Amino acid sequence: MTVATEEHVRRLPKVELHCHIEGASRAGTIKELAQANGVTFPVDDPADLYHFTDLNQFLDIYAVVCASLQTADDFHRITYECLEDAVEAGVRYREMFFSPGFVIKLGVPVSTVWAGVSAAVIDARADLDIGCRMILDFDKPSGGGHALEMADFAGAQDRDLLIGMGADSVERVDHRPFAAAYESAGRHGLKRTMHAGEDGPSDNIALAVREFGCERVDHGFRLLDDPELTAEIIDRRIPLTVCPTSNVMIANVVPDVASHPYARQRELGVLATLNSDDPGMMRFDVADEYAAVVGAFDYSLEEMEQISLDGITACWAPDDEKAALRSRFEAEFDQLRSSYGLPARNGAG
Ligand code: ADE
Ligand code: ZN
């Protein structure tokens, strides 16, 4: 067992599977875009806006951020910039959410959003050392009709850029009307995921994986409440995209990372990946998250390298891309170890 230092784990290569472009946007950019679009911003520094003590408050502020985003160029800018920031956090591959429900309500068509987002992904792939695919999250409170529209829109786009459909926002809504949207997403060959068991019950996780065909679950904080479901998730190797610090800061369902069920989930054999959620609005990225779990759970370097590799296992890239990522990560693990005077790994992972 090798001691993991914070500095070392920040530098590990990472995959990130739970990150929202709107919540990952830079505060300064949002202020500039608000001014350019004639949107009144309630404070000088948008960072001063980012004070929330539960998911509802967080989403109210999220809506203010979204109101500043109006043109395809705006969406290009926040998408590209948050991929630049991801590179700084050691992310080599990311599957990222965009949530058009907020701006659709303000009159911005989803096609405008996607024009900017997809162009930024193409540009970032060419310019930056990062791979990326997008997941369209429909807005749960907007209901089943909106969900179906989003599934059909997503289904008509280039699958190499838009790989999946998910759902976010508050959980305390009736989820049954989303069945048709998930069915349509499946027919279109989209991968499926859903925010579930974040501030709502484990029943929503069960719905996602038993009724909606979800291949991943976003958050899954409440999974261990249901031992049978936990056994099923382990058995079917359905990954969770866990965001411990977000659960402390946004959903406020746990007082600190040390009290989070992440370590217990992994001990039991759940494929629980590690992610940031909304790094811009939280001012806390996935490198900070790696450092946080080392501090909270005393993880060894081997465990942290395994967490990094689990991101590759859980991602939706084609098999050849996953194999290339794995080889690259393993080589980088050994280079990093060598730079800290540590012996190479011995075939772990
Ligand atoms: N949208 C952005 N972050 C979210 C979260 N943590 N939960 C639900 N919806 C979100
Ligand atoms: Zn999220």
Side-chain angles (χ1 to χ4, degrees):
M1 198 201 91
T2 313
V3 172
T5 65
E6 276 197 17
E7 186 193 285
H8 191 150
V9 300
R10 283 177 184 282
R11 293 174 64 196
L12 286 175
K14 302 169 189 77
V15 164
E16 187 165 33
L17 303 175
H18 187 150
C19 177
H20 303 257
I21 57 166
E22 303 86 353
S25 57
R26 297 175 187 165
T29 295
I30 294 300
K31 183 181 178 189
E32 278 180 35
L33 296 180
Q35 281 168 344
N37 288 322
V39 173
T40 311
F41 224 73
V43 288
D44 268 351
D45 180 354
D48 291 339
L49 256 188
Y50 298 161
H51 299 291
F52 33 82
T53 55
D54 65 21
L55 184 57
N56 283 312
Q57 260 183 32
F58 169 82
L59 291 168
D60 286 345
I61 298 164
Y62 204 80
V64 175
V65 170
C66 290
S68 311
L69 306 170
Q70 297 184 5
T71 68
D73 282 350
D74 298 344
F75 284 94
H76 183 289
R77 181 166 170 192
I78 64 159
T79 307
Y80 191 90
E81 285 182 354
C82 82
L83 287 169
E84 287 180 324
D85 295 341
V87 170
E88 291 299 306
V91 179
R92 308 277 188 262
Y93 178 75
R94 200 190 237 177
E95 285 163 12
M96 225 165 33
F97 304 120
F98 69 113
S99 307
F102 288 88
V103 295
I104 287 174
K105 281 187 241 168
L106 300 172
V108 180
V110 61
S111 54
T112 300
V113 178
W114 181 241
V117 169
S118 56
V121 171
I122 291 167
D123 289 347
R125 283 178 180 177
D127 303 347
L128 309 173
D129 182 13
I130 191 166
C132 179
R133 291 183 173 81
M134 298 301 304
I135 300 167
L136 193 163
D137 266 10
F138 67 79
D139 178 54
K140 291 183 188 177
S142 296
H146 161 74
L148 193 53
E149 242 174 74
M150 293 301 101
D152 290 339
F153 177 84
Q157 311 310 316
D158 177 348
R159 195 65 64 253
D160 187 50
L161 292 171
L162 210 175
I163 196 165
M165 186 187 78
D168 62 25
S169 189
V170 287
E171 264 187 81
R172 298 189 188 272
V173 296
D174 181 10
H175 284 52
R176 300 254 160 213
F178 305 143
Y182 277 105
E183 206 212 321
S184 168
R187 257 188 282 113
H188 285 298
L190 291 159
K191 301 283 189 183
R192 289 166 283 186
T193 186
M194 187 170 91
H195 281 55
E198 178 189 16
D199 72 327
S202 59
D203 293 1
N204 289 342
I205 304 172
L207 257 184
V209 302
R210 291 178 180 155
E211 312 276 333
F212 296 165
C214 289
E215 290 109 328
R216 279 201 311 244
V217 172
D218 300 316
H219 289 296
F221 174 78
R222 299 234 68 95
L223 174 66
L224 303 185
D225 291 356
D226 183 339
E228 247 179 64
L229 182 62
T230 303
E232 182 178 336
I233 293 258
I234 294 167
D235 195 45
R236 292 172 60 192
R237 297 287 285 161
I238 295 175
L240 303 187
T241 65
V242 181
C243 312
T245 301
S246 162
N247 293 157
V248 174
M249 290 176 65
I250 298 178
N252 198 13
V253 284
V254 70
D256 50 38
V257 173
S259 319
H260 193 283
Y262 183 67
R264 184 68 188 137
Q265 290 170 342
R266 289 188 60 82
E267 250 172 60
L268 289 170
V270 178
L271 186 54
T273 64
L274 190 58
N275 309 273
S276 68
D277 207 1
D278 297 288
M281 291 182 68
M282 291 165 45
R283 278 159 285 172
F284 201 91
D285 66 21
V286 70
D288 298 322
E289 199 67 65
Y290 270 55
V293 296
V294 164
F297 304 123
D298 247 343
Y299 278 145
S300 65
L301 182 59
E302 288 76 13
E303 180 65 40
M304 295 309 299
E305 288 167 341
Q306 189 58 49
I307 288 172
S308 161
L309 292 175
D310 284 352
I312 302 175
T313 304
C315 84
W316 291 333
D319 284 347
D320 57 342
E321 207 175 309
K322 288 170 79 145
L325 274 173
R326 191 170 290 272
S327 303
R328 178 180 178 182
F329 278 30
E330 286 171 348
E332 289 192 31
F333 292 164
D334 283 345
Q335 279 158 17
L336 262 178
R337 280 173 172 252
S338 157
S339 76
Y340 286 106
L342 297 169
R345 302 157 79 238
N346 35 17

